């Protein structure tokens, strides 16, 4: 009866020790050991010895199967993530609706005062230059002169007409026309009308020249002062006031931001993945790990499984010892 007990127990102990030692030899020793100038077999352990190959294999596998373009795009553009992004923007907007900070104070959370002033100044200068060029190089003066002369001539023809109560008084142009007709007849009135119309063109031309000169010489300063005043006034306004009554515009802005995110992922992700060598990053990171740290991490993750392997060895040893007794 004793052999039927001792043999399985011995087999169980041998199986337990063998598997425990095999698992230990995966990591230990961390470095090669030498005796009389010759490397002792099985040193270093399997994982330290093959660390470089394992790192390259793991990096390539993760890059090809877990972090490739298809997988990354699928996760980054998933309905769940897009909904979280949209809800996050809405939450941010709702918080700003109650924000009584001025725009300057709000920006100061992200930028220094110097950066805010420089950005405002740069924006004002760029906008001033753009508007100045449009005013100086376009036919704005011609259009203003044409509209002004047309307006004056219309006023001359209809001044005094359309009084309240239904009364209608003849315009200055009508009175002058009647007087000329009485004195010089219809031909005199026609000649006077032609004279007035003929004067309109040179007056308009002269007026346009003066306006264009004014715009060319002074519009930069005038526009610059206006834009600077408005930009400073904008920085002094409260965030909640700026967002008040802008529900439709804010909803459009949120949708635009989400669409911009989608577009950037679809267009830029391939370039990013091509520029960032994920396989090399993972390989280098694994190679940089100290073996003691790597051993600790692996054992933390697989402690339960490795213990199961050890006890499985004990169980198999017990069974083999029992079978040996039967044979």
């Amino acid at each position: 009866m004793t052999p039927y007990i001792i043999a399985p127990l011995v087999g169980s102990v041998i199986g337990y020790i063998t598997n425990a030692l095999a698992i230990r030899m995966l990591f230990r020793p961390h470095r090669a050991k030498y005796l009389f100038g010759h490397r002792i077999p099985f040193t270093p352990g399997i994982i330290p010895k093959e660390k470089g190959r394992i790192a390259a294999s793991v990096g390539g596998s993760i890059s090809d199967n877990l972090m490739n373009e298809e997988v990354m795009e699928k996760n980054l553009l998933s309905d769940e993530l897009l909904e979280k992004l949209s809800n996050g923007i809405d939450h941010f907007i709702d918080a700003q609706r109650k924000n009584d900070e001025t725009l300057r104070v709000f920006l100061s959370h992200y930028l220094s005062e110097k950066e805010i002033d420089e950005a405002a100044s740069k924006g004002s200068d760029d906008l001033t230059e753009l508007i100045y060029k449009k005013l100086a190089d376009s036919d704005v003066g011609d259009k203003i002169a044409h509209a002004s002369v047309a307006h004056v001539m219309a006023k001359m023809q209809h001044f005094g007409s359309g009084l309240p109560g239904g009364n209608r008084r003849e315009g200055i142009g009508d009175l002058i026309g009647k007087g000329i007709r009485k004195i010089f007849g219809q031909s005199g009135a026609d000649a006077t009308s032609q004279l007035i119309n003929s004067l309109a063109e040179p007056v308009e031309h002269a007026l346009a020249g003066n306006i264009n000169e004014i715009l060319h010489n002074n519009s930069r300063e005038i526009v610059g002062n206006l834009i600077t005043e408005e930009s400073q006034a904008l920085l002094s306004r409260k965030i909640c006031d700026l967002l008040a009554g802008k529900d439709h515009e804010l909803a459009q802005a949120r949708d635009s931001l989400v669409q911009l995110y989608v577009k950037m992922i679809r267009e830029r992700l391939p370039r990013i993945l091509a520029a960032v060598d994920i396989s090399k990053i993972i390989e280098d990171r694994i190679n940089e790990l100290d073996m003691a740290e790597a051993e600790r991490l692996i054992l933390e993750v697989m402690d339960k499984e490795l213990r199961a392997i050890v006890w499985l060895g004990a169980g198999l040893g017990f069974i083999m010892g029992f079978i040996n007794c039967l044979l």
Side-chain angles (χ1 to χ4, degrees):
M1 187 68 180
T2 302
Y4 289 97
I5 297 176
I6 294 177
L9 288 177
V10 171
S12 178
V13 171
I14 292 174
Y16 181 92
I17 293 175
T18 301
N19 279 17
L21 182 62
I23 291 173
R24 185 74 171 175
M25 289 176 66
L26 289 173
F27 306 98
R28 300 296 179 104
H30 294 161
R31 295 178 178 82
K33 302 296 182 179
Y34 294 88
L35 182 63
F36 304 118
H38 297 281
R39 184 173 65 84
I40 299 175
F42 305 109
T43 64
I46 295 175
I47 291 179
K49 182 179 179 181
E50 301 294 333
K51 183 180 178 182
R53 184 181 63 80
I54 293 172
S57 178
V58 171
S61 179
I62 292 176
S63 176
D64 294 339
N65 301 294
L66 300 180
M67 298 187 69
N68 56 40
E69 180 181 338
E70 181 180 355
V71 173
M72 293 290 288
E73 182 172 318
K74 180 180 178 181
N75 284 275
L76 291 173
L77 297 181
S78 65
D79 293 338
E80 181 181 359
L81 185 59
L82 292 179
E83 184 178 358
K84 287 183 178 179
L85 177 60
S86 180
N87 291 338
I89 296 173
D90 282 337
H91 179 73
F92 176 79
I93 291 174
D94 289 339
Q96 302 315 310
R97 293 181 194 275
K98 304 173 184 177
N99 189 352
D100 59 357
E101 294 178 332
T102 64
L103 180 58
R104 177 180 288 276
V105 174
F106 175 78
L107 293 175
S108 67
H109 298 315
Y110 310 97
L111 302 171
S112 66
E113 287 292 329
K114 181 180 179 181
E115 290 173 327
I116 295 173
D117 290 334
E118 287 178 349
S121 177
K122 181 68 166 54
S124 297
D125 291 344
D126 290 345
L127 186 57
T128 297
E129 190 65 23
L130 176 63
I131 296 176
Y132 165 73
K133 287 182 178 179
K134 291 292 184 181
L135 291 175
D137 299 337
S138 64
D139 57 350
V140 174
D142 298 340
K143 293 178 179 178
I144 294 175
H146 179 75
S148 300
V149 171
H151 180 73
V152 169
M153 292 189 70
K155 285 291 185 180
M156 288 182 64
Q157 292 294 331
H158 302 291
F159 179 81
S161 60
L163 291 175
N167 296 322
R168 186 180 185 281
R169 193 172 61 192
E170 293 179 319
I172 292 177
D174 298 327
L175 295 175
I176 294 174
K178 281 185 177 182
I180 292 175
R181 277 194 296 274
K182 287 182 178 180
I183 299 173
F184 300 102
Q186 185 61 40
S187 60
D190 293 338
T192 303
S193 178
Q194 291 177 1
L195 176 62
I196 293 174
N197 290 331
S198 65
L199 290 175
E201 184 175 351
V203 169
E204 180 179 325
H205 181 73
L207 182 60
N210 284 289
I211 293 175
N212 283 327
E213 184 179 356
I214 293 172
L215 291 176
H216 182 78
N217 295 332
N218 302 290
S219 59
R220 179 185 275 112
E221 181 181 357
I222 296 171
V223 172
N225 291 336
L226 290 174
I227 292 178
T228 299
E229 290 175 3
E230 288 301 317
S231 65
Q232 293 303 317
L234 179 64
L235 289 172
S236 300
R237 293 191 63 185
K238 293 182 178 180
I239 298 295
C240 55
D241 293 337
L242 291 172
L243 300 183
K246 301 291 192 303
D247 294 347
H248 180 66
E249 292 82 354
L250 291 172
Q252 287 184 325
R254 176 203 59 208
D255 295 339
S256 297
L257 287 173
V258 173
Q259 292 303 316
L260 178 61
Y261 167 78
V262 172
K263 182 179 180 181
M264 288 183 63
I265 292 297
R266 287 177 176 166
E267 293 182 356
R268 303 294 181 181
L269 182 60
R271 300 181 187 178
I272 294 174
L273 292 179
V276 179
D277 191 344
I278 296 176
S279 175
K280 188 66 167 56
I281 292 174
I282 296 173
E283 180 181 349
D284 291 344
R285 184 68 187 104
I286 293 175
N287 284 324
E288 289 170 1
L289 281 175
D290 179 71
M291 266 317 302
E293 180 68 12
E295 179 183 358
R296 184 185 67 80
L297 292 174
I298 294 173
L299 291 177
E300 282 182 359
V301 174
M302 301 191 65
D303 180 65
K304 183 178 179 181
E305 290 76 8
L306 294 176
R307 286 180 181 275
I309 291 174
V310 172
W311 286 107
L312 178 63
L316 290 175
F318 183 89
I319 294 172
M320 294 303 296
F322 185 76
I323 292 175
N324 188 54
C325 289
L326 294 177
L327 297 177

